[in-house]
Amino acid sequence: MMKARLHSVAGHLNRRGQQDVFQLNLKITQLAKRGDIDEAVRVFNAIAQPNAVTYNSMISAYAKNGRFSEACALFNRMPFKNLISWNTMMSGYLYNDYFKEVAELFDKMRRRDSFTYSLMITCYARSGFVEKARRVFDSMPDKSCAACWNALITGYVKNGMLSDGRKLFNEMPVRNLVSWNTMLSGYTRSGQMCLAAKFFEEMEEKDWISWNLVLEGYTQAGDLHAAREFFE
């Protein structure tokens, strides 16, 4: 009976401890969003048994608030890393435009998921290496993730390769609103408003971003009459 009670108490304390760590992890994230990193560090240091989520939250907090050397140091001394840890660090490098470091980390990873691939595709596309982005895309074992398709389409669009972007868009097994808006932005920002208007009419759904893209496109082209007609 006594052993059963002790086991019950221990279990309760363990659950309570996990709940406390969960709340503190959430606190770190909230403080990071406010930019209060020093307070987030104090919360982190106060956690007696930080878990992987604790480390990942703090790494993200450092990276997204310009304290990247501290993010790197914390990642390197993590006693246990999971896939989210690696992806968080990759995301931090990418957020700070450390493209070479993103690629190096990607190459070191033993396990990858669709988010990993989307980060690497975005990295190469953003740095102008669209062909490398395409090779990463082609190497993916599972191409069901729309975010990876969207990342490559964004790369094509932002590097002026609209025909390649449209070809990939047409090949997508499942498109979402981001896919449509990304392709639409390529037409509007390159001044191809006839194609943009036609594409807009083909869209299965639209949001305020879709409408704004068309409005901005006509405005940049100096065609306010067409803009008024379009929205009437």
Side-chain angles (χ1 to χ4, degrees):
M1 179 69 74
M2 181 62 70
K3 286 184 179 180
R5 286 181 179 176
L6 288 172
H7 182 74
S8 176
V9 170
H12 173 74
L13 290 173
N14 185 49
R15 287 192 297 273
R16 177 62 186 273
Q18 290 174 349
Q19 290 172 356
D20 289 344
V21 172
F22 174 81
Q23 292 296 330
L24 292 171
N25 290 344
L26 187 60
K27 183 73 172 174
I28 290 171
T29 302
Q30 291 170 340
L31 289 166
K33 285 180 180 178
R34 299 207 311 253
D36 194 350
I37 302 304
D38 290 336
E39 183 60 29
V41 171
R42 282 192 283 272
V43 173
F44 176 83
N45 290 334
I47 300 175
Q49 294 182 313
N51 55 25
V53 177
T54 314
Y55 279 94
N56 295 340
S57 300
M58 197 64 239
I59 289 168
S60 179
Y62 277 138
K64 291 185 177 179
N65 283 274
R67 294 169 62 165
F68 204 70
S69 60
E70 289 159 293
C72 293
L74 185 59
F75 177 78
N76 289 334
R77 73 169 190 262
M78 265 185 91
F80 39 80
K81 298 180 181 75
N82 57 21
L83 181 56
I84 295 173
S85 311
W86 288 86
N87 283 343
T88 299
M89 198 63 203
M90 269 189 78
S91 181
Y93 278 132
L94 186 58
Y95 186 84
N96 289 273
D97 291 339
Y98 290 135
F99 301 129
K100 178 173 173 285
E101 287 78 4
V102 175
E104 288 175 351
L105 202 62
F106 180 81
D107 290 338
K108 289 177 183 177
M109 293 176 71
R110 295 179 180 176
R111 209 161 67 86
R112 299 161 181 163
D113 63 4
S114 58
F115 185 55
T116 316
Y117 282 102
S118 70
L119 289 170
M120 195 62 247
I121 292 167
T122 300
C123 171
Y124 278 137
R126 192 183 293 176
S127 55
F129 297 107
V130 185
E131 291 307 314
K132 286 187 177 182
R134 181 64 200 231
R135 285 199 292 272
V136 172
F137 177 84
D138 289 339
S139 73
M140 290 167 50
D142 179 10
K143 292 185 174 60
S144 62
C145 176
C148 295
W149 290 79
N150 292 339
L152 186 54
I153 291 171
T154 299
Y156 280 135
V157 165
K158 289 190 174 179
N159 285 277
M161 303 166 68
L162 290 181
S163 59
D164 294 288
R166 183 58 190 265
K167 184 175 182 293
L168 189 65
F169 175 86
N170 291 339
E171 293 171 358
M172 280 188 80
V174 179
R175 304 180 190 104
N176 57 24
L177 187 53
V178 174
S179 317
W180 287 90
N181 281 340
T182 300
M183 201 64 234
L184 178 63
S185 73
Y187 291 129
T188 60
R189 288 169 183 168
S190 63
Q192 301 183 51
M193 291 311 299
C194 289
L195 288 174
K198 184 175 182 295
F199 188 81
F200 183 86
E201 294 303 325
E202 294 173 1
M203 291 179 70
E204 298 167 356
E205 63 173 311
K206 306 171 180 77
D207 63 0
W208 65 271
I209 296 175
S210 318
W211 290 92
N212 278 353
L213 284 169
V214 176
L215 178 60
E216 287 172 6
Y218 278 124
T219 302
Q220 288 173 6
D223 196 346
L224 298 181
H225 176 71
R228 280 194 297 270
E229 280 193 342
F230 188 83
F231 285 95
E232 285 176 357

